[in-house]
Amino acid sequence: MAFSVPGYSPSFKKPPETLRLRRKRARGLGAALPTRERPEPAPRRAALAAGLSLRPFPAAAGSGGGGPATAGRNPFACLDNRPRGAAESPDGPPRGPQEAPSRFLDSNQENDLLWEEKFPERTAVNELLQTSHVSFSESDIPSSESTELPVDWSIKTRLLFTSSQPFTWADHLKAQEEAQGVIQHCRATEVTLPRSIQDPKLSTELRGAFQQSLIYWLHPAFPWLSMFPRIGADRKMAGKTNPWSNDETLQHILMSDWSVSFTSLYNLLKTKLCPYFYVCTYQFTVLFRAAGLAGNDVITALISPTTRGIREAMKNEGIEFSLPLIKENGHEKKVSGTSLGHGEEQAISDEDEEESFSWLEEMGVQDKIKKPDILSIKLRKEKHEVQMDHRPESVVLVKGTNTFTLLNFLINCKSLVATSGPQAGLPPTLLSPIAFRGATMQMLKARSINVKAQALSEYRDQFSLEITGPIMPHCLHSMTMLLRSSQKGSFSAGLYTHEPTVIFNICPPMDKVLDKETVHEELANCGLHPKTLDQLSQTPILGKSSLRNVEMSDYIYNWRS
């Protein structure tokens, strides 16, 4: 709320004249009275009388005894331009000098994005200092500690690991170690590390396994374009060269090549040689999972977010699907008896509508009353379907042989590719943990940072490892297994999630409970470590959330979602 203070204007039109008047007033008051006995200026007295909290007004100059002069007040500052914290009331006392750093950081929050683009190291250091003081509240930590993390099917864009042990072993891999990691990945070699490694920097086995964990496969791949994420990426892709945007022939070639790669991935998934993969479009993301993963005995596909148009098109193609969250909510409401689900509410409204027209026929005035047309009735019936568009509740589940029909639907779907904007004509991104036809091998970016973190009355070395890129579920589990050995069972991590994929952690309906031994036997050649495969075969428990913070202490996990 703005206060009107007589004789004071927070915005000056002629700053030089204001400064000249301020200096004359300060000299006049300094000659007449000592510094401590000077009266408050008239504008400040009026502001104090209005109930405004002002900063202390510094002395204009030192006394004639030759003392050091103090800094003058900025005449262009507002009456009270200090930023208030979220927990501070408007009438609260001014902050003390010990809060000066936080005040400085708050005033520069609007420049954070610019700093992140120009100086990524500064951002990582600030987050490292914040992550080192993360405290897990009782409500966030599971009641029982465990030696394994729950499965997280969302795609991470960034991981920031912190530890009291250095990450120097992750820097400057030798040519032999890099080649060893690539070969181990292509041959799906299982690497088993000891519980604790005494000198990780000298462990060739550890460094090779680290290189192996950073590899993923992508299609299409253009060096000048970032192909993930695709949802909301128009701003990042704007201004980049895209010769296919106005060339229909080139667009047809790209889509034809993409269709071959997509079909190759699905065939690998069907034969259980690929555990899962993602299809990332500019509107939605699809997660295909092989039979045996996430507790399902058949191939499953989750699509999120969806719209009524996409769902209607899938129905017209004969694809059978379900809305697991809508069905789940309706079932819960029906059991509780407090309210009705969407389906029951719609059925009752239809019955009421028929009754409302029947009594008109009995009175013989049905022709004189204007009834709502068929289109209006249809729109009203489908109102609840439109309301959940683009929301997590619109997630669609496709199972079994319907996933093959979904494959053909996506290949021939015209709305799969943007027709305008920076992504015009660009096929969707295919992400996979294993190689497939037309795929390009890519590497996640990793770098280590060493800083001094304040702990009580001293500074201690704090080490961090930052990994960026499309980090899939198997990579997250592989990294935690490596750090368990290299950091002697003690580290913490901040996980940054691609939000549209969080909903993939819901637990889909299962027909039967699968045997772990059978799953391991059938998916033995899918290219994943047995422990990673064991985790991905678990039933998801995170629901509509994902892992945000992870802390390991003495080889025991605490996690927060």
Side-chain angles (χ1 to χ4, degrees), residues 127 130-136 140-142 149-150 152 156 160 162 491-497 546-552 557-561:
E127 292 177 356
Q130 295 174 6
T131 308
S132 61
H133 298 289
V134 171
S135 60
F136 294 85
D140 294 328
I141 301 176
L149 287 174
D152 189 343
K156 308 298 179 184
L160 184 62
T162 59
F491 65 89
S492 61
L495 289 70
Y496 300 81
T497 308
S546 64
L547 294 177
R548 304 289 178 177
N549 293 94
V550 174
E551 183 176 2
M552 170 174 270
Y557 283 110
N558 284 329
W559 52 272
R560 182 171 62 179
S561 61

Side-chain angles (χ1 to χ4, degrees), residues 25 114 117 128 181 187 240 245 276 341 389 426 513 542:
R25 187 182 305 165
L114 184 61
E117 295 178 359
L128 170 60
R187 297 177 179 176
K240 301 295 180 64
S245 59
Y276 66 91
D389 287 354
L426 186 62
V513 180
L542 294 176

Side-chain angles (χ1 to χ4, degrees), residues 138-408:
E138 296 180 358
S139 60
D140 294 328
I141 301 176
S143 56
S144 59
E145 297 176 336
S146 62
T147 56
E148 288 294 336
L149 287 174
V151 59
D152 189 343
W153 285 102
S154 63
I155 304 178
K156 308 298 179 184
T157 58
R158 187 161 168 252
L159 302 178
L160 184 62
F161 295 99
T162 59
S163 175
S164 58
Q165 304 290 329
F167 290 97
T168 52
W169 54 269
D171 289 334
H172 307 297
L173 297 180
K174 298 179 181 179
Q176 180 182 359
E177 296 167 341
E178 183 176 349
Q180 179 181 349
V182 172
I183 292 298
Q184 289 175 176
H185 173 84
C186 294
R187 297 177 179 176
T189 305
E190 177 185 342
V191 178
T192 303
L193 298 174
R195 180 180 176 88
S196 178
I197 301 177
Q198 297 299 326
D199 195 349
K201 192 173 183 179
L202 300 179
S203 176
T204 304
E205 189 177 19
L206 171 64
R207 291 160 67 89
F210 178 67
Q211 174 78 4
Q212 178 182 356
S213 301
L214 295 177
I215 298 175
Y216 66 97
W217 296 85
L218 175 78
H219 180 86
F222 302 102
W224 66 93
L225 280 181
S226 176
M227 299 303 296
F228 180 85
R230 296 293 296 274
I231 298 178
D234 289 352
R235 185 177 178 182
K236 292 184 178 180
M237 290 187 177
K240 301 295 180 64
T241 304
N242 48 352
W244 52 82
S245 59
N246 298 320
D247 192 337
E248 294 184 1
T249 304
L250 186 55
Q251 290 181 14
H252 179 75
I253 295 175
L254 289 176
M255 281 303 301
S256 178
D257 192 36
W258 179 85
S259 301
V260 171
S261 298
F262 188 17
T263 306
S264 170
L265 257 180
Y266 183 84
N267 292 335
L268 291 170
L269 188 83
K270 187 177 180 180
T271 54
K272 297 184 178 181
L273 296 176
C274 174
Y276 66 91
F277 66 90
Y278 294 88
V279 181
C280 306
T281 75
Y282 76 105
Q283 286 184 318
F284 57 86
T285 306
V286 189
L287 168 61
F288 284 87
R289 290 186 292 213
L293 296 188
N296 281 278
D297 58 339
V298 294
I299 298 177
T300 59
L302 286 171
I303 311 172
S304 177
T306 63
T307 60
R308 176 178 166 272
I310 295 176
R311 295 191 294 271
E312 288 294 332
M314 292 172 62
K315 288 180 183 178
N316 295 335
E317 290 294 327
I319 302 175
E320 296 181 5
F321 61 88
S322 61
L323 301 171
L325 294 184
I326 301 299
K327 182 182 295 186
E328 178 185 352
N329 292 340
H331 180 68
E332 289 178 355
K333 292 179 181 179
K334 183 178 179 181
V335 171
S336 63
T338 56
S339 60
L340 300 175
H342 291 290
E344 297 179 358
E345 289 178 355
Q346 194 61 42
I348 291 177
S349 65
D350 294 342
E351 294 176 1
D352 294 342
E353 187 177 342
E354 293 176 0
E355 293 178 0
S356 64
F357 293 148
S358 63
W359 71 271
L360 292 175
E361 296 178 359
E362 294 176 358
M363 296 181 64
V365 295
Q366 68 274 9
D367 297 333
K368 298 180 181 180
I369 304 298
K370 185 178 180 181
K371 299 178 183 179
D373 57 356
I374 299 176
L375 181 60
S376 300
I377 296 174
K378 186 177 181 180
L379 290 176
R380 188 165 61 87
K381 288 181 179 180
E382 297 173 350
K383 180 180 179 181
H384 68 279
E385 293 187 10
V386 178
Q387 288 177 345
M388 69 179 182
D389 287 354
H390 303 290
R391 296 185 179 182
E393 289 75 15
S394 66
V395 61
V396 166
L397 172 64
V398 183
K399 301 179 66 174
T401 56
N402 288 284
T403 56
F404 180 73
T405 313
L406 176 64
L407 167 74
N408 294 325

